[in-house]
């Protein structure tokens, strides 16, 4: 359903689902949009709607203040897996909040082993060839995981210890590209 839509249609659908997260009749409205499984989660002051059909899964969150969502990524190889990077530094909390779900968003588990306390996490990227290889942009450089986030290691080969706010993999060249405070760096690997 979503894959077949144009960028504009997808954007409008996601905006509608985000709006539904605050609606009193989210279940009814989501069913009209073609979602067959609609579930509401409420844990630790954060709420989210899970909208799913045979091919798509969308999670619409609300009530998460003060924590900010820095990044959320679906696994490139398994539609039940997703990753989320959260941030609470505006309230003096600098812990690395990085989570993973393996069941389509029903349960989220911390995957910050190896990331030092006081390290903000900004962006996560999965390699397009090796499903176990993840890169993480943080306030103090890049971290790499060889096992889908179970353990992280500082990736310091030519990377300064400065904030990495964005990163991406250029598939054609097989390069990791970093944004270091408005400076773009390309790493060959």
């Amino acid at each position: 359903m979503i894959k077949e839509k144009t960028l504009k249609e997808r954007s409008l659908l996601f905006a509608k689902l985000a709006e539904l997260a605050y609606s009193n009749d989210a279940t009814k409205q989501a069913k009209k949009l073609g979602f067959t499984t609609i579930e509401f989660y409420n844990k630790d002051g954060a709420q989210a709607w899970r909208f799913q059909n045979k091919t798509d899964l969308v999670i619409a969150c609300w009530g998460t203040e003060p924590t900010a969502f820095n990044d959320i990524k679906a696994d490139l190889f398994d539609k039940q897996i997703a990753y989320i990077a959260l941030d609470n530094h505006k309230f003096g909390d600098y812990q690395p909040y990085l989570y993973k779900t393996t069941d389509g968003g029903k349960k989220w588990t911390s995957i910050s082993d190896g990331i030092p306390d006081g390290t903000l996490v900004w962006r996560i990227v999965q390699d397009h060839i090796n499903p176990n290889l993840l890169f993480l942009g943080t306030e103090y450089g890049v971290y790499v995981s060889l096992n889908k986030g179970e353990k992280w290691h500082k990736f310091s080969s030519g990377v300064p210890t400065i904030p990495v706010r964005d990163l991406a993999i250029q598939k054609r060249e097989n390069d990791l590209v970093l944004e270091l405070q408005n400076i773009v760096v390309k790493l060959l690997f």
Side-chain angles (χ1 to χ4, degrees):
M1 177 174 137
I2 292 174
K3 185 191 270 188
E4 296 149 5
K5 294 185 179 300
T6 66
L7 176 62
K8 180 180 178 182
E9 291 170 331
R10 284 193 306 266
S11 298
L12 290 171
L13 174 63
F14 292 145
K16 180 66 176 172
L17 290 172
E19 179 184 343
L20 287 182
Y22 290 90
S23 170
N24 291 332
D25 64 345
T27 300
K28 180 180 168 185
Q29 295 298 319
K31 284 185 178 180
K32 286 182 182 178
L33 293 172
F35 292 94
T36 54
T37 303
I38 297 104
E39 297 173 310
F40 180 73
Y41 297 91
N42 185 353
K43 184 174 180 181
D44 299 329
Q47 296 84 26
W49 282 94
R50 183 174 185 263
F51 305 109
Q52 188 171 10
N53 59 30
K54 287 183 180 180
T55 58
D56 304 310
L57 169 65
V58 179
I59 298 172
C61 304
W62 63 281
T64 57
E65 294 80 12
T67 304
F69 290 88
N70 286 343
D71 199 13
I72 185 164
K73 290 283 177 26
D75 190 276
L76 299 175
F77 300 90
D78 185 337
K79 68 179 183 178
Q80 291 295 309
I81 298 175
Y83 306 91
I84 190 166
L86 304 173
D87 170 11
N88 200 29
H89 82 276
K90 290 181 180 178
F91 295 88
D93 181 359
Y94 294 89
Q95 295 308 303
Y97 293 108
L98 187 63
Y99 295 90
K100 173 182 171 180
T101 182
T102 58
D103 59 8
K106 292 180 182 175
K107 181 181 177 191
W108 293 85
T109 305
S110 175
I111 57 166
S112 59
D113 186 21
I115 303 169
D117 286 349
T119 303
L120 297 176
V121 292
W122 297 110
R123 192 77 65 229
I124 188 166
V125 172
Q126 182 179 34
D127 185 64
H128 62 283
I129 297 170
N130 180 350
N132 296 312
L133 182 59
L134 300 174
F135 296 95
L136 182 67
T138 76
E139 189 68 13
Y140 302 111
V142 176
Y143 285 78
V144 63
S145 173
L146 304 174
N147 53 10
K148 285 197 171 194
E150 299 303 318
K151 179 75 175 173
W152 293 93
H153 307 278
K154 180 82 178 197
F155 184 72
S156 56
S157 178
V159 181
T161 303
I162 62 173
V164 176
R165 296 292 174 95
D166 202 2
L167 44 85
I169 294 178
Q170 289 183 333
K171 292 179 182 177
R172 189 182 72 201
E173 288 84 12
N174 216 24
D175 293 335
L176 178 64
V177 180
L178 314 175
E179 182 217 336
L180 311 171
Q181 293 184 332
N182 299 322
I183 301 168
V184 176
V185 176
K186 183 167 119 174
L187 301 175
L188 306 174
F189 69 97

